[in-house]
Amino acid sequence: MAESSRLKRRRTESMDDPPEFTRDSSTILSENQLLCLICMDVFTDPVTTSCGHNFCINCLTQYWNKGPQCHCPLCKEKFIKRPELKINTTLREVADHFKKKSEDDKPEVLCDACTGMKQKALRSCLDCGVTFCESHLELHINVPIYKKHKLINPVKNLEDYICQKHEKPLERFCRDDQTCVCQWCIEADHKNHNIIPIEEEINHKKTQLGQTQTEVQQMIQDRLKKIKEINHSVELSKKNTEKEKSDSIKTFTDLIHSIEKSQTEMLKMMEEKQKVVENQAERFIKDLEQEITELQRRETELEKLLNTEEYLNLLQVYPTICSPPTTKNWTDISINTDPDVETLRTSLSQLQKTLDEKLNKTLDEKLRETVSTDLKRIQQYAVDVTLDPDTAFPYLVLSADGKQVTRGNTNQNLPDIQKRFTYYPIILGKQSFSSGRFYYEVQVSGKTKWNLGVARESVNRKDKITLKPQDGFWIVILRNGNEYSACAGPSVLLSLKEKLQKVGVFVDYEEGLVSFYDVENRVHIYSYTGQMFTEKLYPYFCPSNNDGGKNSAPLIITPVIKTE
């Protein structure tokens, strides 16, 4: 019974005064967690959508009334049917308690006119410079001369609302000097200034704040949406990774089974070869043993004849026994395994070749799948790059759309401005990047030499240069038609199976990454990693010399066709 009474008492206490409400609100929820992201104030009659987000019931109702379709203002989840909104009573109690506590925490303004125990102030008078409680405010309500005084909500720092120079209410606002002024200030120091009532400026400022608030709300929603997109991308990547892992396990399991099968066949072949050898040896040994038995019998007969004194018998049998019995010539007979060994070696060689081909094919396929996935991911960062004629070497010829460049034979007498390269046939893109990620593709088919990549803004444009990261260049080059290398300082020779037709360039500024891809064959070419970018980066192009027409094809910036 005692236990039952305690439980009943606890339930009663919980209903009358929830334990959470007796603690400091900061130990439960912060003010940010109790804000409606539409009005940006603490919840009033909060409701919860099916996607789990909370808003004031009036705010959400008005938001939905503005458009033909209902969706969550935060995550943009669409609702086919307009949800029936019900107040979240628990959240309302928490919000109301938070409001009450916030009000209790505010410092109380007291009446200046009270002589005994001071009462709570109701209004402050700017003309009198005094704050009044309800009883002392009667004169300002009932006496006509006092009714003209300027009353505001009670404030502690009332002197801030009164001109310290003229002791008059600050009822006007000077937009020229951006300050509050009284009537005498206008006549003395602010003649011919743009003066407006202070209420008008307050409304103007509130309107601007409201617009800023709307922008901030939209920024919050955009970022929450981006978080949702990123999380979705992570989940999608996780699913793709699991599928790739499963496919890879199956592929390599099949390959292992193939190896095991080939191994079993090889061992069986070896066993069969050994069995053939053993059977052959067994037959040879049996024939040899039979001949040994016959020879031993003949030896016994000869021994008898040699020791006999019956010469008549010796003379009679001599013709048939005087010569050795006819036997097989074993001189050239042996257990010859050479043909089988050669067959085995051929089989082993063929098996090794088959396994190598399977393994290389599997690895190539997996590598291409991985690169295709990477390309699909980075192609979303594609940017529209155009060539900047102000940076072009004087002999370079550009197309009208700024997408193609080749080396011409004539100096075009361009002005030698600071941006222009005057020593090498180089040109940069118009677009610069100092954050984030970007990707573009360049057609290089038909050329025997070229340079591609990115360069920082401060690179030397007038004298000899060294193409390396230390000097601000992250470049891949082609020389002699088929010699590819990365100018990593020192150069890194690149081994490519196919001649490049289109090159993709990807940069992650914050990550310090510059990667190059063979777009046509879905192959990763080279990556500069762990770089430190501190300046603007520009796409870099160099079509190189014509070589008597052998290298006259242009470099072409092509639209990015996203991988499906």
Side-chain angles (χ1 to χ4, degrees):
M1 291 293 292
E3 179 67 23
S4 176
S5 298
R6 285 197 298 272
L7 291 174
K8 184 175 181 181
R9 185 167 63 254
R10 287 177 184 172
R11 284 196 297 272
T12 303
E13 291 172 352
S14 176
M15 293 171 63
D16 294 341
D17 186 14
E20 291 82 357
F21 294 173
T22 65
R23 298 196 297 271
D24 188 339
S25 297
S26 63
T27 63
I28 309 169
L29 294 171
S30 68
E31 183 176 1
N32 287 338
Q33 292 172 294
L34 294 173
L35 289 182
C36 168
L37 292 180
I38 297 178
C39 67
M40 295 304 291
D41 202 352
V42 177
F43 292 123
T44 299
D45 293 334
V47 293
T48 303
T49 60
S50 59
C51 55
H53 297 123
N54 302 302
F55 308 93
C56 300
I57 186 169
N58 288 336
C59 294
L60 188 58
T61 301
Q62 293 175 14
Y63 182 85
W64 282 349
N65 288 341
K66 293 179 182 178
Q69 192 173 28
C70 295
H71 62 268
C72 174
L74 200 57
C75 68
K76 305 302 181 183
E77 179 177 331
K78 295 180 181 179
F79 307 114
I80 299 175
K81 183 180 179 182
R82 182 165 179 162
E84 182 181 350
L85 300 176
K86 294 184 179 180
I87 294 173
N88 186 330
T89 55
T90 301
L91 186 57
R92 179 176 62 182
E93 289 173 358
V94 175
D96 290 348
H97 176 74
F98 185 89
K99 288 179 182 177
K100 184 176 182 300
K101 189 176 186 309
S102 298
E103 289 294 329
D104 293 342
D105 290 342
K106 290 182 179 178
E108 194 174 60
V109 180
L110 301 178
C111 176
D112 294 329
C114 290
T115 56
M117 179 178 290
K118 292 185 177 294
Q119 300 298 315
K120 183 178 180 181
L122 185 64
R123 303 284 276 175
S124 293
C125 177
L126 294 179
D127 292 277
C128 299
V130 179
T131 297
F132 299 104
C133 64
E134 185 176 3
S135 60
H136 287 109
L137 192 63
E138 289 182 1
L139 287 175
H140 287 75
I141 297 174
N142 300 319
V143 178
I145 191 171
Y146 288 110
K147 286 183 179 181
K148 298 179 180 179
H149 286 195
K150 181 73 173 181
L151 298 177
I152 63 172
N153 290 327
V155 293
K156 268 198 168 185
N157 54 334
L158 184 56
E159 64 274 8
D160 293 343
Y161 294 80
I162 300 174
C163 177
Q164 299 301 308
K165 184 177 180 180
H166 304 111
E167 296 183 352
K168 294 293 181 180
L170 297 170
E171 298 180 302
R172 298 287 188 271
F173 185 81
C174 176
R175 282 192 167 175
D176 292 334
D177 296 333
Q178 289 293 301
T179 185
C180 297
V181 296
C182 70
Q183 188 60 41
W184 286 16
C185 289
I186 299 173
E187 296 175 359
D189 302 320
H190 298 269
K191 283 185 177 180
N192 301 321
H193 284 194
N194 184 9
I195 307 296
I196 61 172
I198 197 167
E199 290 83 0
E200 182 180 336
E201 181 63 21
I202 290 171
N203 291 333
H204 175 68
K205 289 287 194 291
K206 283 187 175 181
T207 300
Q208 289 182 325
L209 290 174
Q211 293 173 350
T212 303
Q213 180 189 37
T214 302
E215 292 175 2
V216 170
Q217 291 173 359
Q218 187 60 48
M219 290 171 68
I220 292 171
Q221 293 175 14
D222 291 343
R223 279 148 182 77
L224 288 170
K225 182 180 179 182
K226 178 57 69 175
I227 290 174
K228 187 175 181 180
E229 290 176 359
I230 291 172
N231 286 332
H232 177 70
S233 297
V234 170
E235 287 299 319
L236 185 62
S237 176
K238 185 177 180 181
K239 290 180 181 179
N240 291 337
T241 300
E242 291 300 323
K243 184 178 183 302
E244 289 175 4
K245 285 168 62 178
S246 176
D247 292 344
S248 296
I249 290 173
K250 183 179 182 304
T251 300
F252 284 102
T253 299
D254 292 343
L255 185 59
I256 290 171
H257 287 164
S258 176
I259 293 172
E260 289 176 345
K261 181 180 177 182
S262 299
Q263 183 186 40
T264 301
E265 292 175 353
M266 182 180 70
L267 293 174
K268 183 178 178 181
M269 185 188 304
M270 295 173 70
E271 290 173 356
E272 289 177 351
K273 171 254 179 184
Q274 181 62 24
K275 189 173 181 180
V276 169
V277 171
E278 290 176 356
N279 289 339
Q280 186 182 37
E282 185 178 351
R283 291 196 303 272
F284 288 164
I285 291 172
K286 184 177 180 181
D287 291 345
L288 286 167
E289 287 177 343
Q290 288 178 351
E291 289 189 0
I292 289 172
T293 300
E294 178 62 26
L295 290 171
Q296 287 175 341
R297 185 185 63 76
R298 178 63 63 89
E299 181 186 19
T300 301
E301 291 179 356
L302 290 171
E303 181 67 25
K304 287 180 180 180
L305 288 174
L306 288 172
N307 295 323
T308 185
E309 293 182 357
E310 298 178 4
Y311 62 86
L312 185 59
N313 184 44
L314 174 62
L315 294 174
Q316 289 177 345
V317 297
Y318 176 79
T320 60
I321 203 172
C322 67
S323 58
T326 302
T327 59
K328 186 183 295 184
N329 183 5
W330 292 95
T331 304
D332 297 326
I333 294 177
S334 63
I335 304 299
N336 188 0
T337 60
D338 288 345
D340 293 330
V341 170
E342 189 59 38
T343 301
L344 181 60
R345 286 175 180 169
T346 302
S347 299
L348 286 174
S349 177
Q350 186 62 41
L351 175 61
Q352 184 65 48
K353 182 179 178 182
T354 301
L355 292 179
D356 287 344
E357 288 176 353
K358 286 184 178 179
L359 183 60
N360 290 334
K361 182 179 179 182
T362 301
L363 292 175
D364 284 345
E365 288 176 353
K366 285 299 168 187
L367 189 59
R368 287 179 187 272
E369 288 177 7
T370 302
V371 173
S372 291
T373 302
D374 285 345
L375 274 175
K376 185 177 181 180
R377 175 181 59 83
I378 67 178
Q379 282 176 337
Q380 66 179 308
Y381 301 105
V383 294
D384 183 16
V385 174
T386 52
L387 300 167
D388 183 0
D390 289 341
T391 66
F393 180 70
Y395 282 81
L396 294 182
V397 178
L398 278 62
S399 61
D401 61 359
K403 296 292 185 179
Q404 301 185 29
V405 59
T406 187
R407 169 66 188 266
N409 297 318
T410 305
N411 189 328
Q412 302 182 55
N413 296 317
L414 301 174
D416 186 10
I417 57 177
Q418 186 177 359
K419 293 172 60 177
R420 190 175 310 284
F421 288 88
T422 56
Y423 201 93
Y424 295 101
I426 296 172
I427 185 172
L428 301 182
K430 283 185 179 180
Q431 295 72 23
S432 65
F433 305 90
S434 55
S435 64
R437 301 166 179 170
F438 64 94
Y439 173 81
Y440 63 94
E441 294 177 352
V442 183
Q443 181 178 312
V444 296
S445 55
K447 296 190 68 62
T448 58
K449 61 169 80 171
W450 47 256
N451 305 351
L452 282 178
V454 293
R456 67 183 178 214
E457 187 174 31
S458 64
V459 293
N460 185 353
R461 307 187 186 205
K462 304 300 181 183
D463 302 307
K464 287 185 177 181
I465 57 175
T466 304
L467 295 177
K468 59 183 180 180
Q470 294 89 329
D471 291 340
F473 299 93
W474 292 267
I475 306 297
V476 165
I477 68 174
L478 168 66
R479 294 292 180 269
N480 301 321
N482 59 1
E483 297 176 5
Y484 298 95
S485 59
C487 300
S491 294
V492 177
L493 190 63
L494 305 176
S495 179
L496 303 178
K497 295 181 179 179
E498 304 287 343
K499 185 175 175 64
L500 295 177
Q501 304 298 321
K502 186 182 292 186
V503 177
V505 183
F506 172 68
V507 177
D508 187 328
Y509 194 95
E510 283 74 20
E511 196 69 22
L513 173 70
V514 181
S515 294
F516 299 85
Y517 292 88
D518 177 350
V519 178
E520 298 295 330
N521 295 296
R522 298 292 186 264
V523 174
H524 171 254
I525 300 172
Y526 185 79
S527 284
Y528 292 90
T529 60
Q531 306 298 306
M532 182 66 70
F533 301 133
T534 57
E535 300 179 23
K536 292 179 180 179
L537 296 180
Y538 289 84
Y540 166 102
F541 310 86
C542 176
S544 294
N545 297 329
N546 272 340
D547 281 350
K550 295 179 182 178
N551 191 42
S552 60
L555 291 176
I556 305 174
I557 303 171
T558 60
V560 174
I561 301 174
K562 295 184 179 180
T563 306
E564 296 298 331

